[in-house]
Amino acid sequence: MFRNSLPLRALSEIETAVVEEVLKEVIKEDTIAIRVDHQIFSLSHCRFLSANAVIEPVSKNSNFGISVYRHTLLFILAMAVKQLFPTKIVIAQHAFGCEDSDLCTALYCEVQSNINTKGITEMDVQEIKKKMTELIQENIPIEVALTDSGKLIDRFTKNNQIYSKKLVQTLSVPTVFVNRCGDFETLHILPLAPKTGMTNLFDIQSYKNGLVLIFPSLRDFTVCPPFQPNTRIHECWQDSNTLWNNLKINCVGDSNKIIMSGDTRNFIQLSEAYHDQKIVELAQMITDPQRSVKIVLIAGPSSSGKTTFSHKLAIHLQIAGLRPLVISSDDYYKSRDRPDYPKTKEGAPNHECIQAMNTELFNQHLLELFEGKEVEIPIFDFLSGAPKLQGSKKRLEPNGIVICEGIFC
């Protein structure tokens, strides 16, 4: 299967012509990328694809398409900043969502340089927005090109693209793919739209020391939703950035360098120490008498460390004199053979849907625990796809607190 991290040969003129003929048959007006053998690629990648590949169009208002749309806007933002402020670069920090969507609808970015790391002004933001609008209206082609790594490092050095330079230096490959639009280029990390004009719907606003790049949501691709800042999320990211800056790890290239040096043990220990410190701070907040906390909900995607985190937190709360009861919402999954168990479009069980949970029983057990009653918490058997016949009887002790973890908490 094709992977853009490997140096590939370009197709011959005849092979390219065959692929282009296929693309004419599948490409529609709103096609922003292509799916080739179940992987997403830029349309301009056809010069590097096999003529025997299975090719499907990806529209911009699809799950994969909106991701391409967002990354293309970020590329155009970086190009606009480079044209307006040649010594500065765009640092994409973190995403924001909106209340009625689980997709990110805004991206917080900072504009930095080696000379001045201060935030940008409102006037700068308006200039950037105007320049982006111009670049989009010009409908400039965005190409994927295979280039020599050494020459690319020289160009990145000249253009002050220090983070991209560090990443190429640690790849140890003779050639890499880049996204190129005019004389501006970045590493080809993710596929982009074929032309700048396909991303005409966007907005930019000043926020904190940087700006937020706002784009439409999948639920309504006709308008950019209002920006809804989450101060807590931003503070957490900034706090994390302070740690990485102290450790002089500002990009993937820096972490790659640590791995290549073999000094990963110290890096891991520092990360774990920082994490433990945050758990101690959280425990202190929870045990504050003025808060009177009775339940802590820990959410996150699959395999993100929720269970480990919840048990670590429980230990610190025990030290503070509380009696934590750890519950996993995963144990409240319904039996998969139930007719009302949700399905994906392909007909497979959809475990990442709240309808797969027995929320009525979950809520009932929480209320009974807070009333001092004993409950039999189910134990879900993921092998059989059903709760075990016998659960685990639990009661909230005096001075108790419930810690519940799961993707829907």
Side-chain angles (χ1 to χ4, degrees):
M1 185 174 288
F2 177 88
R3 296 188 185 278
N4 64 11
S5 61
L6 300 176
L8 302 177
R9 70 174 180 86
L11 300 182
S12 67
E13 291 184 8
I14 296 177
E15 291 172 321
T16 301
V18 172
V19 174
E20 289 178 344
E21 284 300 314
V22 174
L23 290 178
K24 289 179 182 178
E25 297 293 326
V26 300
I27 289 178
K28 303 174 184 179
E29 185 178 351
D30 66 341
T31 298
I32 197 169
I34 51 176
R35 182 185 286 108
V36 182
D37 294 337
H38 307 293
Q39 274 194 286
I40 307 300
F41 293 98
S42 302
L43 285 170
S44 59
H45 237 134
C46 68
R47 302 192 311 277
F48 305 96
L49 301 178
S50 168
N52 297 318
V54 178
I55 301 175
E56 303 171 85
V58 175
S59 63
K60 62 182 181 181
N61 60 340
S62 64
N63 283 318
F64 291 113
I66 199 167
S67 177
V68 175
Y69 190 98
R70 292 196 299 261
H71 287 101
T72 304
L73 273 177
L74 182 59
F75 175 86
I76 296 171
L77 169 63
M79 181 165 59
V81 168
K82 182 58 64 177
Q83 291 186 8
L84 291 171
F85 314 103
T87 62
K88 296 185 177 182
I89 57 175
V90 174
I91 309 297
Q93 296 280 4
H94 62 83
F96 287 104
C98 62
E99 291 180 356
D100 63 345
S101 174
D102 56 356
L103 295 172
C104 91
T105 53
L107 184 66
Y108 174 71
C109 304
E110 292 186 353
V111 179
Q112 300 177 357
S113 72
N114 291 334
I115 302 172
N116 180 13
T117 57
K118 294 182 179 180
I120 56 176
T121 66
E122 175 64 33
M123 185 176 296
D124 292 336
V125 173
Q126 294 307 313
E127 284 188 45
I128 293 170
K129 182 176 180 179
K130 180 180 178 181
K131 174 57 70 173
M132 285 185 67
T133 302
E134 293 173 357
L135 293 171
I136 290 170
Q137 290 175 345
E138 291 176 19
N139 201 24
I140 311 169
I142 302 174
E143 300 177 337
V144 176
L146 193 61
T147 187
D148 178 81
S149 296
K151 293 180 180 179
L152 183 62
I153 290 173
D154 292 338
R155 294 197 296 272
F156 281 159
T157 302
K158 180 181 178 181
N159 295 328
N160 194 38
Q161 293 170 267
I162 52 176
Y163 296 155
S164 297
K165 168 190 170 182
K166 288 181 177 181
L167 181 53
V168 178
Q169 287 175 326
T170 58
L171 290 179
S172 301
V173 292
T175 56
V176 292
F177 282 109
V178 295
N179 294 314
R180 187 174 290 157
C181 185
D183 59 357
F184 179 74
E185 60 185 352
T186 63
L187 279 173
H188 180 75
I189 306 297
L190 294 166
L192 302 183
K195 293 185 178 181
T196 58
M198 293 198 71
T199 56
N200 58 308
L201 189 59
F202 79 99
D203 195 12
I204 285 185
Q205 295 180 22
S206 295
Y207 185 71
K208 301 297 183 179
N209 291 327
L211 57 84
V212 283
L213 177 61
I214 307 169
F215 16 72
S217 71
L218 190 58
R219 298 186 181 184
D220 186 358
F221 211 82
T222 63
V223 64
C224 288
F227 172 55
Q228 299 173 343
N230 187 317
T231 305
R232 183 56 185 154
I233 287 179
H234 183 74
E235 289 174 352
C236 287
W237 275 96
Q238 294 302 303
D239 194 31
S240 179
N241 285 340
T242 300
L243 168 70
W244 305 129
N245 289 335
N246 291 339
L247 298 179
K248 300 188 183 301
I249 302 173
N250 298 306
C251 62
V252 177
D254 289 335
S255 59
N256 284 351
K257 189 175 180 181
I258 291 175
I259 295 170
M260 294 169 67
S261 70
D263 189 25
T264 55
R265 181 180 295 274
N266 183 58
F267 173 65
I268 293 172
Q269 290 174 339
L270 288 169
S271 300
E272 291 182 342
Y274 173 76
H275 189 252
D276 290 340
Q277 177 183 319
K278 289 300 173 183
I279 294 177
V280 171
E281 293 175 5
L282 179 59
Q284 291 172 345
M285 292 172 59
I286 293 171
T287 54
D288 185 345
Q290 295 182 351
R291 293 179 180 270
S292 187
V293 177
K294 284 297 182 182
I295 184 170
V296 178
L297 303 176
I298 301 170
S302 299
S303 302
S304 58
K306 299 183 296 295
T307 302
T308 301
F309 180 86
S310 62
H311 286 286
K312 280 189 173 183
L313 178 60
I315 291 172
H316 285 282
L317 292 178
Q318 288 182 65
I319 293 173
L322 297 184
R323 294 293 177 263
L325 172 60
V326 180
I327 299 175
S328 173
S329 66
D330 287 357
D331 285 320
Y332 287 85
Y333 272 115
K334 300 174 182 176
S335 295
R336 295 175 190 169
D337 57 359
R338 286 178 49 159
D340 62 342
Y341 199 90
K343 301 287 194 298
T344 63
K345 292 180 180 179
E346 293 76 21
N350 186 356
H351 311 308
E352 298 195 357
C353 175
I354 190 130
Q355 285 74 24
M357 310 292 297
N358 191 339
T359 54
E360 184 178 346
L361 180 63
F362 177 76
N363 291 333
Q364 176 189 329
H365 280 179
L366 284 181
L367 291 174
E368 290 178 350
L369 283 170
F370 292 138
E371 291 172 358
K373 298 178 181 179
E374 182 181 76
V375 301
E376 186 173 341
I377 295 175
I379 301 174
F380 191 82
D381 186 348
F382 283 89
L383 291 177
S384 66
K388 293 183 178 180
L389 294 177
Q390 187 172 1
S392 175
K393 294 183 179 181
K394 299 290 184 181
R395 186 192 298 271
L396 195 60
E397 300 180 37
N399 209 25
I401 183 172
V402 174
I403 299 176
C404 186
E405 57 90 6
I407 59 176
F408 301 113
C409 287

